[in-house]
């Protein structure tokens, strides 16, 4: 039996259900239940919370979340091979685990969750960034989630928490830090996983802010940052020239030198530029 519950160790679960990781599904399994419980604890006090998990696989993190007291876990799993193993966990924790077989990019989880809601997942590498951007850019804010505790490739994690001037600083950092508090809380070496990936991994914890750090229209800010970082190292007056004929004047009104580059500019200035651009586009 395992160290966190009376279910079998994960290596045994994988052998019993023939759950060898599939590269095409972005799978790398974390088999140390002590580590999965530690990741679950990074999500904070889960008692009284529903938790959304994407890509549970054989259920290591799922078991950690339930053992740490999550009121209810909704696990969305694309790989039907994992369903019998997850059913065994559901039987061990009656009424506390719901498993949906399907693609997390196409499923609305909110019909199955009751606030307060947290998200915790060892995200499949091939959909992790897309899911994060969706959670950071909902039509309304605050979002459905209180916090996100997510495992990424370390390179992606560093992009989320990067600051102006950092090599990893870009659009993902701006979108994350505009509306959330983001920090790396754990790092894991390749050998922690089966199969071992070629890169290190890291867990990022994001806490939703009640409102964005600076006012800006989300669509305009997304457009500005997308254009600014699409051609890194290019002066902003050139990178953004397609957004407005008077872009140099708008940059200056936002306190940004037209010769500056995107990687040098902080969130507050980008938000100021988004406000100036939105105002300039309003009909007279």
């Amino acid at each position: 039996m395992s160290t966190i519950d009376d279910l079998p160790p994960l290596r045994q679960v994988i052998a019993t259900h023939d759950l060898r990781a599939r590269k095409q599904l972005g799978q790398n399994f974390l088999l140390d239940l002590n580590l999965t419980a530690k990741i679950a604890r990074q999500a904070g006090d889960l008692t009284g919370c529903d938790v959304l998990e994407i890509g549970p696989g054989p259920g290591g993190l799922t078991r950690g979340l339930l053992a740490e007291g999550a009121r209810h876990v909704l696990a969305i799993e694309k790989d039907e091979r994992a369903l019998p193993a997850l059913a065994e966990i559901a039987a061990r924790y009656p009424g506390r685990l719901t498993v949906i077989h399907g693609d997390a990019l196409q499923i609305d989880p909110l019909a199955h969750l009751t606030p307060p809601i947290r998200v915790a997942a060892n995200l499949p590498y091939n959909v992790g960034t897309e899911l994060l951007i969706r959670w950071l850019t909902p039509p309304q804010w605050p979002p459905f989630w209180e916090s996100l505790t997510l495992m990424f490739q370390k390179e992606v994690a560093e992009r989320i928490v990067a600051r102006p001037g950092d090599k990893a600083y870009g659009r993902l950092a701006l979108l994350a830090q505009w509306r959330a508090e983001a920090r790396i809380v754990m790092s894991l070496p390749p050998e922690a996983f089966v199969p071992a990936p070629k890169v290190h991994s890291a867990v990022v914890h994001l806490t939703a802010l009640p409102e964005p750090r600076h006012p800006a229209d989300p669509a305009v800010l997304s457009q500005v940052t997308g254009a600014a970082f699409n051609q890194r190292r290019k002066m902003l007056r050139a990178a953004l020239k397609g957004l407005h004929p008077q872009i140099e004047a708008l940059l200056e009104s936002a306190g940004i030198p037209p010769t500056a580059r995107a990687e040098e500019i902080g969130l507050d200035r980008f938000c100021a530029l988004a406000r100036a651009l939105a105002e300039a586009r309003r009909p007279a």
Side-chain angles (χ1 to χ4, degrees):
M1 294 299 128
S2 77
T3 56
I4 65 170
D5 55 32
D6 54 8
L7 291 166
L10 285 174
R11 287 188 186 278
Q12 183 178 328
V13 171
I14 286 174
T16 300
H17 298 286
D18 193 23
L19 278 175
R20 287 167 291 186
R22 288 181 174 173
K23 186 175 182 180
Q24 63 266 37
L25 294 176
Q27 292 174 329
N28 296 90
F29 297 146
L30 190 58
L31 301 187
D32 186 335
L33 285 164
N34 291 314
L35 272 178
T36 61
K38 185 176 180 182
I39 294 168
R41 287 193 291 273
Q42 300 301 324
D45 183 0
L46 298 178
T47 55
C49 291
D50 279 12
V51 180
L52 171 63
E53 182 187 7
I54 308 297
L61 180 57
T62 314
R63 288 162 64 175
L65 294 167
L66 291 164
E68 290 298 318
R71 177 178 64 195
H72 180 246
V73 175
L74 172 65
I76 300 176
E77 177 54 64
K78 189 174 184 178
D79 186 356
E80 64 181 353
R81 298 176 306 150
L83 300 182
L86 295 170
E88 292 173 2
I89 302 171
R92 168 61 180 78
Y93 295 94
R96 294 176 59 201
L97 173 62
T98 300
V99 180
I100 295 179
H101 177 219
D103 187 342
L105 295 173
Q106 299 175 6
I107 291 172
D108 180 5
L110 295 185
H112 307 274
L113 294 165
T114 302
I117 300 165
R118 303 188 184 191
V119 181
N122 174 11
L123 291 173
Y125 282 164
N126 53 359
V127 297
T129 303
E130 183 173 353
L131 283 168
L132 174 62
I133 290 175
R134 287 190 183 191
W135 291 328
L136 290 171
T137 56
Q140 296 183 334
W141 197 267
F144 74 86
W145 50 271
E146 289 188 346
S147 68
L148 309 173
T149 306
L150 307 172
M151 187 183 299
F152 295 98
Q153 296 180 36
K154 191 173 183 181
E155 177 186 340
V156 176
E158 289 172 343
R159 285 167 53 202
I160 295 168
V161 303
R163 302 294 181 184
D166 292 349
K167 183 179 179 181
Y169 182 66
R171 184 167 180 259
L172 192 56
L174 286 160
L175 291 178
Q177 296 170 37
W178 181 44
R179 287 171 154 176
E181 190 73 49
R183 57 193 177 94
I184 293 176
V185 294
M186 281 180 67
S187 295
L188 295 99
E191 54 267 25
F193 299 86
V194 175
K198 296 179 180 179
V199 296
H200 283 67
S201 300
V203 178
V204 181
H205 183 74
L206 300 102
T207 304
L209 297 172
E211 57 186 37
R213 294 183 192 278
H214 310 283
D217 180 281
V220 178
L221 181 62
S222 181
Q223 185 181 29
V224 167
T225 55
F229 287 99
N230 187 45
Q231 302 180 62
R232 296 181 71 91
R233 305 193 63 78
K234 200 170 186 179
M235 290 182 185
L236 281 173
R237 67 184 176 196
L240 302 178
K241 65 182 180 181
L243 298 184
H244 195 275
Q246 303 298 322
I247 194 62
E248 285 201 35
L250 295 177
L251 284 163
E252 290 177 353
S253 73
I256 302 172
T259 56
R261 292 174 171 81
E263 54 267 31
E264 304 166 349
I265 305 303
L267 172 62
D268 58 337
R269 296 299 89 202
F270 270 112
C271 289
L273 177 59
R275 294 194 300 272
L277 180 59
E279 181 63 30
R281 287 173 169 174
R282 282 199 184 95

